[in-house]
Amino acid sequence: MASTLLSLASATPSASLSFHEINKGKLNLGCINKEKPNPFIKAKSFGRVSMVVASNVSHFEGITMAPPDPILGVSEAFKADDHELKLNLGVGAYRTEELQPYVLDVVKKADKLLLEKGENLEYLPIEGLAAFNKVTAELLFGADNPVIKQQRVATVQGLSGTGSLRLAAALIERYFPGAKVLISSPTWGNHKNIFNDARVPWSEYRYYDPKTVGLDFEGMIADIKAAPEGSFILLHGCAHNPTGIDPTPEQWGVIADVIQEKNHIPFFDIAYQGFASGSLDTDAASVRMFVARGMEVIAAQSYSKNLGLYAERIGAINVVCSSPEAAARVKSQLKRIARPMYSNPPVHGARIVANIVGDSALFKEWNAEMEMMAGRIKNVRHKLFDSLSSKDKSGKDWSFVLKQIGMFSFTGLNKAQCDNMTNKWHVYMTKDGRISLAGLSLAKCEYLADAIIDSYHNVS
Amino acid sequence: MEDEPHHCFSFLPTFLPLHILIYTPNPVLPEHSRTKSAAVFFHILTMIISRFLRRGILTSTSPTRRRSWWDHVTPALKDPINAVTDAFLADPCPYKINLGVGAYRDDKGKPVVLQRVREAEGKIGATNFLESTSTAISSKLVEESAKLIYREDSDVIKERRFIGIPALSGTSACCIFAEFQKRFYPDSTIYFPDPTWSSHRNIWGDAHVPGRTFHYYHPDSKGLNFVALIDDVKNAPDGSFFLLHPCAHNPTGVDPTDEQWREISSLFKVKNHFPFFDVAYQGFASGDVERDAQAIRIFLEDGHSIGCAQSFAKNLGLYGHRVGCLSILYNDKIQAVVIKSQLKQISNTMYGSPPIHSISLVSKILSNPNIKALWLKEVKVMATRIQIMRATLREALERLRSPLNWQHITNQVRMFCFSGLTPAEVDQLAKEFRIYMTHDGRISMAGVTTKNVDYVARAIHEVTASDRDTKILHNIGAYKVNTDICSTSLGTNKTRARGMNLAL
C-alpha cells in the first residue's frame, strides 16, 4: 500500500509544513478569534431577539493538501505505462527474479504454527511480546553480549522501523529538549518527517559525494565534529538508504572516535540486518563495535525487509544504557510514550518473529533464505556492472555498483538524466538517481545498462 | 563518558523535599516535633552513610560507574489499569479475581477468540500481499467500518461523505485525531466527560491539546448529571471540541437516553461544537450494533459533521491485533482528499499503517453478509452474559441485605460498573479478598462469572457494610497504603529507581 511504499523507499525529503507556516499572512478561517467574526456562526436578528445559527461551513475548511509522496508517484506512473519493456526500480520491496513479491517460507511455516496453536488475542503489555523483545535484542547485539547479560538494554516492541524511530524521537524531545538529531544527506525521506512531527530539530551531515559516487568521509567527520556537544547522530547500521554506500570498518572506528570525543549519542537505524551482506552478524558489526566501546546507543530495528514482514509492522527500539537501573527507567518512559499513541503493539508479527528466531531449525532456514535474497541482489549488481563495463567504452568507472551494498544504488544520474530514463527507456526510479536493485532481474540488466549509459552520456 | 567527581551532598537538594513528603504529619496522631527533628537527622545520617557504602561497593566490585545519558530520566508512573493487571498477575493466590482490564472473559473466566475470527484467520494465512491489494484491503476496512457506525443506508454512506484511515485500534485513532486537531486548531482545547477513560488525557496531552472537563457522572445518584452537562456545553466557547462516548461510557457505564442525546445534539448545533465520538463498545453495550450507534445517528440526523474513533478490540475480540478506524465526515469532495492526505501523513510518521493481518481479518468478517450476521450473534452472546452477570451480582448483594443501593449495577451499561467503592475499599478487596480493580471503583463485569459472583458479592458487602464514614477520614492514610502495595507487589523498580535518583 502507499504507506508501505513510503516506509520502504527513500523519498525526496518533504518537510511537513505546519498549518501556520503555509497560511502566514492569509486569513485563517479555522481559528475562532475573539476579534474576528467567527465564519461558522452567522448572527441573525429577529426583531429584538437575535439568534445564532450555525452555517454549513466545515470546521476543516482551511486545511491544505499534504505534500504528495514521491515514491507513490513513481509506482503510479509505472502502472499507467503499458510499454512491454518497462521496469519499476522505485519499489523498496524485495522481488524475486520473476519480479514477484516474496513471502519467506519460514514466515509461512511460522504462520501455520500460530494457526495450529490457536493462541488467544489478548492485549500485549505496552512494551510488547516478551519473547520477541528478548530475541530481537539478542539478534542485534549477540546473545552473549555483556549488555544483554547485564540487562542494560531497554527494548520495546515497535511498529516496524517507523514506529520504533518515533518512540525514540519522542524520548529525545521529552528528555533532551533542544538537542538536535544529525541525519545524513541524503537519507530515508521519512526520517525528516518523523523528527518534524515529533518536534525534534534536525540538521544534516555530509554523506554522499556525487563526484566519487561514494562516501564524503571528510565532510561527514567534519560535520559531526562541528555539531553542538550532545547531539544525536543518526547512522544507518548497514545498507545505507538511499545511497547503498556504507563506511568501512576502519571508517566506523573513526566515526565512533569522533562521537565519543564530542559526547554525542549514536542513534542507529537498522532496517536491513542480514539483508545487506546475507549475514546477520556481519550486518550488525557497526552497532556492536559502538556498544563494545561502552557507549550508550539507541538502535531502531525493522523486520520489514529481512523477514519480508513489511505489512505486519514489526520492529523494536533498543536503548543501551550504562546501568540496568537506567535501562529500567528508560523502558518505563518509552512505555509512557507508547501508551497514548497506540496502547500496546500488535501481536501477530511479534509472534512470527519470536517463533522463527526462537526455533533453531526455523532460524537456520531463515538464514538460508536471507542469504538467497541478499545473494540475488549481489548477482544482479555483478551482472549490471558487467553489462555497464562491457557496453560503455568511455572508460567511466562503474565499480560503485559493486562497492555499494543493499537494496539500493545511487547511480549518480541527475534529474534530467532520470527523466530520460523514464521517458525514453520506461525505467521508473526516483529523481535523486536511486534505483532499487530488488526490482531488477538478471534478465533485464543489459537493458538497464543501455538506458543508464545513454542517459549519462547523452543527457545533461 | 568521563566520571564526574561525586559530591556527597549533591543529592541533598533532591532529597530534602522528599523527606518532607515522608514526614507529612498524620492528621489523626498528634504532632511530636522533637521526634520529627530527630527522625529527620537520623534519616540524613543514614543517607550519607549508605551513600559512602554504595560508592565503596560500586568502585570495588563493578567497572567504573559511568555517568549515563539517562540519569535524569525518572521512572514513569505506572499505567493505572495495567498496574491492576500486574498486581493480579503477581498474586500467587489461586482464587484471585481480576476485575480490572476491560477485556471480555467467558463464564470460565477465559479469554475468547470469536469463531468468525478463527475462520477468517484460517483463510488469510501468509498470503502474498502486494502493495496494491494492501491498499484495497485498507479501503475496504474503512468502508465497512463506516457502514457499521453510520449505518449502511444513511446519506453519509450513500453520498460517501466520510474519509477514514485504518488505525491501531481506538487509541491510535484518537491519537491521530488529536494531532490533526492540534495541527489545524493549534489553540483549541478538548472537553472530556468527567470521568473518562484514563488514557484520553494523555493522548490529547501528548499532542499538546489542553483538556478540560464537562460534568457527566453524578456520584450521588450514580447516574448522569444531565443538568450540569448541558450547562457546561452551553458555557463552553463556541466551536469547542468535545469527546463523547456514544454508548457504554468508560468507566461509569452511564449513558444519556435518546431524548438527552437529542438535546445535546441540538445544543451542539447552536454552539457549533465539534463532536468526536470514541466508539469502543459498539454491540457490546446492548448486544445490538444498531442500538449502540443511536447517539451517532441522532447527531447525523441533525446534520453534524462528526469524527469517529472506532475500536474492534472488544466487539471483534481483536484486542492484541490492534485494529480500528478513524473517520471524519466532510461536506465537499475536495476536502475529503485534503483531510485524508493529512491523516495519512500523521500516521506515516507514527507507525505507517496497522498490520495487514489485522486489517484483513476485520475486512473479511464485515464485508461478507453471512459472516457478519454470525458475528453479530456472537456479540449478542457476549453482551448477554454480561447483562446476566450484572443482574446476578445485584441480586446477590441485595440478598445479603446490603444497606447500600446497588440499583446502578443494572442501570449502568454493560462492560463496566462504577461501583461507588472508595479507594480504601478497593484496597481492602485486593488485600483481603484478592479481588483486583482500578482505584476509581470500576468493576469490569467481564471478569465476573457464575462461579465467582457470590464470592464477589460477599466481598463487596464485607468491605462496604462496615462504617464508611470513618474510612473517608483515613483516606490520606489509605493512599499511602496503596503505594506500598504497589511497590511491594509490583517489584522494587520504583523504590530502586528512587534510590538511583538520590545517588546522583
Side-chain angles (χ1 to χ4, degrees), chain A residues 117-133:
Chain A
K117 259 196 202 163
E119 293 197 57
N120 67 48
L121 306 175
E122 291 298 286
Y123 290 126
L124 283 179
I126 304 175
E127 68 265 31
L129 188 68
F132 167 78
N133 287 348

PDB file of all heavy atoms in Angstrom, chain A residues 117-133:
ATOM      1  N   LYS A 117      -1.601 -23.487  16.809  1.00  0.00           N
ATOM      2  CA  LYS A 117      -1.579 -23.268  18.266  1.00  0.00           C
ATOM      3  C   LYS A 117      -2.888 -22.643  18.737  1.00  0.00           C
ATOM      4  O   LYS A 117      -3.345 -22.898  19.845  1.00  0.00           O
ATOM      5  CB  LYS A 117      -0.430 -22.311  18.625  1.00  0.00           C
ATOM      6  CG  LYS A 117       0.785 -22.980  19.162  1.00  0.00           C
ATOM      7  CD  LYS A 117       1.689 -21.948  19.836  1.00  0.00           C
ATOM      8  CE  LYS A 117       3.115 -22.472  19.902  1.00  0.00           C
ATOM      9  NZ  LYS A 117       4.086 -21.414  20.165  1.00  0.00           N
ATOM     10  N   GLY A 118      -3.464 -21.786  17.894  1.00  0.00           N
ATOM     11  CA  GLY A 118      -4.730 -21.148  18.234  1.00  0.00           C
ATOM     12  C   GLY A 118      -4.649 -20.304  19.489  1.00  0.00           C
ATOM     13  O   GLY A 118      -5.522 -20.337  20.343  1.00  0.00           O
ATOM     14  N   GLU A 119      -3.605 -19.523  19.602  1.00  0.00           N
ATOM     15  CA  GLU A 119      -3.446 -18.706  20.809  1.00  0.00           C
ATOM     16  C   GLU A 119      -4.495 -17.617  20.870  1.00  0.00           C
ATOM     17  O   GLU A 119      -5.086 -17.250  19.856  1.00  0.00           O
ATOM     18  CB  GLU A 119      -2.050 -18.082  20.813  1.00  0.00           C
ATOM     19  CG  GLU A 119      -0.964 -19.120  20.961  1.00  0.00           C
ATOM     20  CD  GLU A 119       0.345 -18.506  21.379  1.00  0.00           C
ATOM     21  OE1 GLU A 119       0.377 -17.846  22.424  1.00  0.00           O
ATOM     22  OE2 GLU A 119       1.339 -18.680  20.654  1.00  0.00           O
ATOM     23  N   ASN A 120      -4.681 -17.095  22.090  1.00  0.00           N
ATOM     24  CA  ASN A 120      -5.683 -16.038  22.235  1.00  0.00           C
ATOM     25  C   ASN A 120      -5.119 -14.709  21.734  1.00  0.00           C
ATOM     26  O   ASN A 120      -3.935 -14.600  21.434  1.00  0.00           O
ATOM     27  CB  ASN A 120      -6.157 -15.926  23.684  1.00  0.00           C
ATOM     28  CG  ASN A 120      -5.052 -15.446  24.604  1.00  0.00           C
ATOM     29  OD1 ASN A 120      -4.365 -14.467  24.326  1.00  0.00           O
ATOM     30  ND2 ASN A 120      -4.873 -16.136  25.710  1.00  0.00           N
ATOM     31  N   LEU A 121      -6.010 -13.729  21.626  1.00  0.00           N
ATOM     32  CA  LEU A 121      -5.639 -12.454  21.035  1.00  0.00           C
ATOM     33  C   LEU A 121      -5.644 -11.347  22.072  1.00  0.00           C
ATOM     34  O   LEU A 121      -5.977 -10.209  21.772  1.00  0.00           O
ATOM     35  CB  LEU A 121      -6.616 -12.123  19.906  1.00  0.00           C
ATOM     36  CG  LEU A 121      -6.742 -13.214  18.859  1.00  0.00           C
ATOM     37  CD1 LEU A 121      -7.813 -12.848  17.846  1.00  0.00           C
ATOM     38  CD2 LEU A 121      -5.416 -13.421  18.137  1.00  0.00           C
ATOM     39  N   GLU A 122      -5.280 -11.707  23.298  1.00  0.00           N
ATOM     40  CA  GLU A 122      -5.292 -10.718  24.366  1.00  0.00           C
ATOM     41  C   GLU A 122      -4.287  -9.607  24.116  1.00  0.00           C
ATOM     42  O   GLU A 122      -3.345  -9.770  23.339  1.00  0.00           O
ATOM     43  CB  GLU A 122      -4.950 -11.407  25.693  1.00  0.00           C
ATOM     44  CG  GLU A 122      -6.052 -12.331  26.160  1.00  0.00           C
ATOM     45  CD  GLU A 122      -7.349 -11.585  26.414  1.00  0.00           C
ATOM     46  OE1 GLU A 122      -7.419 -10.878  27.424  1.00  0.00           O
ATOM     47  OE2 GLU A 122      -8.285 -11.713  25.608  1.00  0.00           O
ATOM     48  N   TYR A 123      -4.497  -8.493  24.818  1.00  0.00           N
ATOM     49  CA  TYR A 123      -3.566  -7.375  24.725  1.00  0.00           C
ATOM     50  C   TYR A 123      -2.164  -7.813  25.112  1.00  0.00           C
ATOM     51  O   TYR A 123      -1.970  -8.550  26.072  1.00  0.00           O
ATOM     52  CB  TYR A 123      -3.952  -6.268  25.707  1.00  0.00           C
ATOM     53  CG  TYR A 123      -5.215  -5.512  25.391  1.00  0.00           C
ATOM     54  CD1 TYR A 123      -6.232  -5.407  26.347  1.00  0.00           C
ATOM     55  CD2 TYR A 123      -5.390  -4.856  24.174  1.00  0.00           C
ATOM     56  CE1 TYR A 123      -7.382  -4.683  26.078  1.00  0.00           C
ATOM     57  CE2 TYR A 123      -6.547  -4.138  23.915  1.00  0.00           C
ATOM     58  CZ  TYR A 123      -7.540  -4.065  24.869  1.00  0.00           C
ATOM     59  OH  TYR A 123      -8.679  -3.349  24.619  1.00  0.00           O
ATOM     60  N   LEU A 124      -1.185  -7.329  24.362  1.00  0.00           N
ATOM     61  CA  LEU A 124       0.201  -7.482  24.793  1.00  0.00           C
ATOM     62  C   LEU A 124       0.453  -6.418  25.855  1.00  0.00           C
ATOM     63  O   LEU A 124      -0.262  -5.423  25.917  1.00  0.00           O
ATOM     64  CB  LEU A 124       1.144  -7.235  23.608  1.00  0.00           C
ATOM     65  CG  LEU A 124       1.293  -8.338  22.574  1.00  0.00           C
ATOM     66  CD1 LEU A 124       2.248  -7.875  21.480  1.00  0.00           C
ATOM     67  CD2 LEU A 124       1.789  -9.626  23.184  1.00  0.00           C
ATOM     68  N   PRO A 125       1.494  -6.608  26.666  1.00  0.00           N
ATOM     69  CA  PRO A 125       1.885  -5.483  27.530  1.00  0.00           C
ATOM     70  C   PRO A 125       2.355  -4.327  26.635  1.00  0.00           C
ATOM     71  O   PRO A 125       2.660  -4.531  25.461  1.00  0.00           O
ATOM     72  CB  PRO A 125       3.051  -6.028  28.345  1.00  0.00           C
ATOM     73  CG  PRO A 125       3.261  -7.411  27.930  1.00  0.00           C
ATOM     74  CD  PRO A 125       2.328  -7.779  26.837  1.00  0.00           C
ATOM     75  N   ILE A 126       2.406  -3.123  27.208  1.00  0.00           N
ATOM     76  CA  ILE A 126       2.753  -1.935  26.420  1.00  0.00           C
ATOM     77  C   ILE A 126       4.087  -2.119  25.718  1.00  0.00           C
ATOM     78  O   ILE A 126       4.264  -1.700  24.563  1.00  0.00           O
ATOM     79  CB  ILE A 126       2.821  -0.671  27.303  1.00  0.00           C
ATOM     80  CG1 ILE A 126       1.510  -0.473  28.046  1.00  0.00           C
ATOM     81  CG2 ILE A 126       3.129   0.559  26.455  1.00  0.00           C
ATOM     82  CD1 ILE A 126       1.546   0.681  29.026  1.00  0.00           C
ATOM     83  N   GLU A 127       5.045  -2.787  26.392  1.00  0.00           N
ATOM     84  CA  GLU A 127       6.372  -2.940  25.788  1.00  0.00           C
ATOM     85  C   GLU A 127       6.410  -4.044  24.751  1.00  0.00           C
ATOM     86  O   GLU A 127       7.415  -4.234  24.092  1.00  0.00           O
ATOM     87  CB  GLU A 127       7.436  -3.209  26.854  1.00  0.00           C
ATOM     88  CG  GLU A 127       7.317  -4.558  27.545  1.00  0.00           C
ATOM     89  CD  GLU A 127       6.543  -4.462  28.833  1.00  0.00           C
ATOM     90  OE1 GLU A 127       5.643  -3.599  28.919  1.00  0.00           O
ATOM     91  OE2 GLU A 127       6.837  -5.252  29.753  1.00  0.00           O
ATOM     92  N   GLY A 128       5.307  -4.767  24.569  1.00  0.00           N
ATOM     93  CA  GLY A 128       5.260  -5.787  23.528  1.00  0.00           C
ATOM     94  C   GLY A 128       5.462  -7.186  24.054  1.00  0.00           C
ATOM     95  O   GLY A 128       5.497  -7.429  25.263  1.00  0.00           O
ATOM     96  N   LEU A 129       5.587  -8.131  23.122  1.00  0.00           N
ATOM     97  CA  LEU A 129       5.732  -9.538  23.470  1.00  0.00           C
ATOM     98  C   LEU A 129       7.120  -9.773  24.063  1.00  0.00           C
ATOM     99  O   LEU A 129       8.128  -9.488  23.441  1.00  0.00           O
ATOM    100  CB  LEU A 129       5.544 -10.386  22.199  1.00  0.00           C
ATOM    101  CG  LEU A 129       5.468 -11.891  22.362  1.00  0.00           C
ATOM    102  CD1 LEU A 129       4.192 -12.275  23.077  1.00  0.00           C
ATOM    103  CD2 LEU A 129       5.534 -12.575  20.995  1.00  0.00           C
ATOM    104  N   ALA A 130       7.138 -10.332  25.278  1.00  0.00           N
ATOM    105  CA  ALA A 130       8.413 -10.508  25.983  1.00  0.00           C
ATOM    106  C   ALA A 130       9.364 -11.403  25.188  1.00  0.00           C
ATOM    107  O   ALA A 130      10.560 -11.108  25.068  1.00  0.00           O
ATOM    108  CB  ALA A 130       8.163 -11.084  27.373  1.00  0.00           C
ATOM    109  N   ALA A 131       8.805 -12.489  24.625  1.00  0.00           N
ATOM    110  CA  ALA A 131       9.640 -13.414  23.860  1.00  0.00           C
ATOM    111  C   ALA A 131      10.262 -12.707  22.658  1.00  0.00           C
ATOM    112  O   ALA A 131      11.427 -12.929  22.317  1.00  0.00           O
ATOM    113  CB  ALA A 131       8.810 -14.608  23.390  1.00  0.00           C
ATOM    114  N   PHE A 132       9.489 -11.835  22.033  1.00  0.00           N
ATOM    115  CA  PHE A 132      10.010 -11.089  20.893  1.00  0.00           C
ATOM    116  C   PHE A 132      11.113 -10.135  21.331  1.00  0.00           C
ATOM    117  O   PHE A 132      12.172 -10.055  20.699  1.00  0.00           O
ATOM    118  CB  PHE A 132       8.895 -10.301  20.196  1.00  0.00           C
ATOM    119  CG  PHE A 132       9.417  -9.285  19.227  1.00  0.00           C
ATOM    120  CD1 PHE A 132       9.873  -9.672  17.971  1.00  0.00           C
ATOM    121  CD2 PHE A 132       9.491  -7.928  19.558  1.00  0.00           C
ATOM    122  CE1 PHE A 132      10.387  -8.738  17.073  1.00  0.00           C
ATOM    123  CE2 PHE A 132      10.001  -6.997  18.667  1.00  0.00           C
ATOM    124  CZ  PHE A 132      10.450  -7.398  17.422  1.00  0.00           C
ATOM    125  N   ASN A 133      10.869  -9.390  22.407  1.00  0.00           N
ATOM    126  CA  ASN A 133      11.860  -8.412  22.861  1.00  0.00           C
ATOM    127  C   ASN A 133      13.188  -9.074  23.181  1.00  0.00           C
ATOM    128  O   ASN A 133      14.262  -8.550  22.891  1.00  0.00           O
ATOM    129  CB  ASN A 133      11.340  -7.658  24.097  1.00  0.00           C
ATOM    130  CG  ASN A 133      10.246  -6.671  23.724  1.00  0.00           C
ATOM    131  OD1 ASN A 133      10.025  -6.385  22.539  1.00  0.00           O
ATOM    132  ND2 ASN A 133       9.553  -6.138  24.707  1.00  0.00           N
TER     133      ASN A 133
END
